[in-house]
Amino acid sequence: MASAPKETLCPVRRAMTLIGSKWKVLLLQNLRDGRQRYGELKRRLPDISEKMLIHELKQLVEAGLVTKHAYPEIPPRVEYELTANGQQALPVVDSIIAFGRQYL
């Protein structure tokens, strides 16, 4: 009998799968201010590579934490925004911020 993936049985594993990278947490933090264009997110996170930014945004969209709005314009315009589920992750982000401040 096949067992269920461990992340479906453990809420900590599931949460870490959804938001467990530093870039995902930083993206959620930046998106709390509202809809952001791709270029603005890149400017706010200058240390992230293009490849990693694309990858992390794609995963957040697939997880249902962020929505992607693509506009049929030239040049293309793409914006990202937190979903209701993404908003629910913000208290976790706030706790990480508070924890980090204790160690600054």
Side-chain angles (χ1 to χ4, degrees), residues 43-55:
R43 277 189 294 282
R44 288 179 169 213
L45 300 170
D47 297 340
I48 192 170
S49 70
E50 296 271 340
K51 181 179 177 180
M52 183 58 73
L53 179 56
I54 291 166
H55 174 75

Side-chain angles (χ1 to χ4, degrees), residues 71-86:
Y71 298 92
E73 301 172 351
I74 297 179
R77 179 169 52 117
V78 179
E79 297 176 338
Y80 296 88
E81 183 176 30
L82 290 178
T83 63
N85 286 339

Side-chain angles (χ1 to χ4, degrees), residues 14 16 20-21 26-27 39 41 47-48 52 55 91 95 99 101:
R14 182 64 180 147
M16 293 304 291
S21 79
L26 290 168
L27 285 165
L41 290 169
D47 297 340
I48 192 170
M52 183 58 73
H55 174 75
S95 293
F99 179 75
R101 281 188 181 135

